[in-house]
Amino acid sequence: MNFQADDKRPAESGDIERLDAQAVNAAGVRKPLYEARKKIFPKRAEGQFRRFKWLVMIVTLGIYYLTPWLRWDRGPYAPDQAVLIDLAHRRFYFFFIEIWPQEFFFVAGLLVMAGFGLFLITSAVGRAWCGYTCPQTVWVDLFLAVERAVEGDRNARMKLDKAPWSFDKVARRVSKHAIWIAIAVLTGGAWIFYFADAPGLLIDFATGRAPSAAYITVAILTATTYVFGGLMREQVCTYMCPWPRIQAAMLDENSLVVTYNDWRGEPRTRHAKKAAASGELVGDCVDCNACVAVCPMGIDIRDGQQLECITCALCIDACDGVMDKLGRDRGLISYATLSDYDQNMALATGNGTHGVNPDLVRDSDGHFHHKVRHFSWHVIFRARTLLYMAVWCAVGIGLAVALLNRERLEVNVLHDRNPQYVLESDGSIRNGYTVRLLNMIPEPRNVELSIQGLPEATMKINGIDQPIGQSITLSVEPDEATALKVFVTLPGNQVSWTSEEFDFVAKDANGDETAIYKAVFNGPGVKK
């Protein structure tokens, strides 16, 4: 650029460098799948959205890599890893929450919340998930940061790619791919730490004593992270991911999406002063291709909404930087709704009677006309998004209520199938049951097991030396299911011909928790 650094005057359109950037991944340019991929060399962007993406990347990667190492004291009878998926014992630990297999509906509820959350975000701000928090986007950002650090920014990387092989080129490429592979290994390694005690598994993994499944998992995740994040990049989003093809159903005319506002940008020209002097219409776009150069998907946002656009908003940062240099209003590329865009386009085209005339959207002072619509937060709070929010909150509140009121003591009973009953020598009838006491807290406790509803019945537990009666107190192990073989006997003169219901009652001997299971006592009239 030819103007001095201390010159505060706005730059001219001809002073803005025009980048040699092509939208090689745009649908109209992209060749069939079988053609070799054209490499994309995204230029580093600077601005508020790029800073926000850095923040999201640091937070999400920090959560992923560090969470398995967080500790949470649950006492001596439970693991102290804050987040643990214990497949061996069929438990899921999340800080103070412990989920048993029969409580999987909590996980299902979280998945429902995730789904409606995605619907909510998409209907409000478009593909923000894709642009900021999708694992593919996060790891590609990380891999690109490594690539820039090793090989330089866009022009340097393009020059290196075209250069003949030399020691410097080999050294840079080997260094880059070595760092990528190291990141991929750490990614796979972090994943397996969610399924076992992280410090112990790390030692076992390093010394070759870990289960083969751990090594296989790390190998698979290393390969997929390296290939998807380093080699395939935008192709994963374009060809493999179903969400770009689904998300259109989530959008409406009030959804915010990254938009090129051609109602103020067209006609674009590199020589605005010369064009204006000759009486030509001149828009704000100077055709510098900055928006194309920074796009990690290799598209041109000026072509309109496209399946390939992940709404990362880096093109907004690039364009805003150019507008700042030219002394023009930001927002040539911006988050906008279709409703606002259509109204502004109607204003610029005289309701479609002629082509875009950017003069119609500005007043005599050069400011935007009062009829030009700009972003307003109220568009986010509309019936559709409020419905999604209501469903999301309802599911969340329901899960929270269920979690706070769930019982930590359960009893399950299975009647013997064969025989249905046993006739004893004194004429009494005996039924056999398998009773499972679930102590779902990480400490042992005494439980009183009793029967109610059969006043004359007695109960005996096989293997436990206690007097026969209607209740027995026994100790159950922490965080385990204790299986008992229980025999209930009823005098012959008290037996119903077919069957009658009664209750097994399990009560914490030192607390208020009680669990009840309705069982059936079968008599001689029951078909075997």
Side-chain angles (χ1 to χ4, degrees), residues 263-329:
W263 51 266
R264 60 168 281 198
E266 300 296 324
R268 65 186 78 163
T269 178
R270 293 282 302 152
H271 305 287
K273 275 192 172 182
K274 186 182 296 185
S278 63
E280 298 178 23
L281 294 175
V282 177
D284 285 344
C285 179
V286 297
D287 201 21
C288 63
N289 284 341
C291 55
V292 181
V294 299
C295 180
M297 294 299 296
I299 63 172
D300 189 341
I301 192 61
R302 296 172 296 179
D303 293 337
Q305 290 300 309
Q306 300 158 71
L307 174 148
E308 295 81 11
C309 179
I310 60 172
T311 319
C312 65
L314 295 182
C315 53
I316 297 179
D317 283 340
C319 189
D320 283 350
V322 174
M323 292 297 105
D324 288 345
K325 293 174 183 177
L326 294 172
R328 301 178 185 176
D329 293 311

Side-chain angles (χ1 to χ4, degrees), residues 19 25 79 131 148 156 165 181 192 200 215 370 402 409 433 479 489 509:
L19 300 174
N25 196 41
R148 292 191 190 100
W165 287 99
I181 293 174
I192 64 172
Y215 296 101
H370 71 276
L409 176 64
Y433 304 86
D479 209 24
T489 304

Side-chain angles (χ1 to χ4, degrees), residues 192-207:
I192 64 172
F193 293 146
Y194 284 90
F195 296 86
D197 180 64
L201 181 57
L202 176 62
I203 295 174
D204 290 344
F205 191 90
T207 56

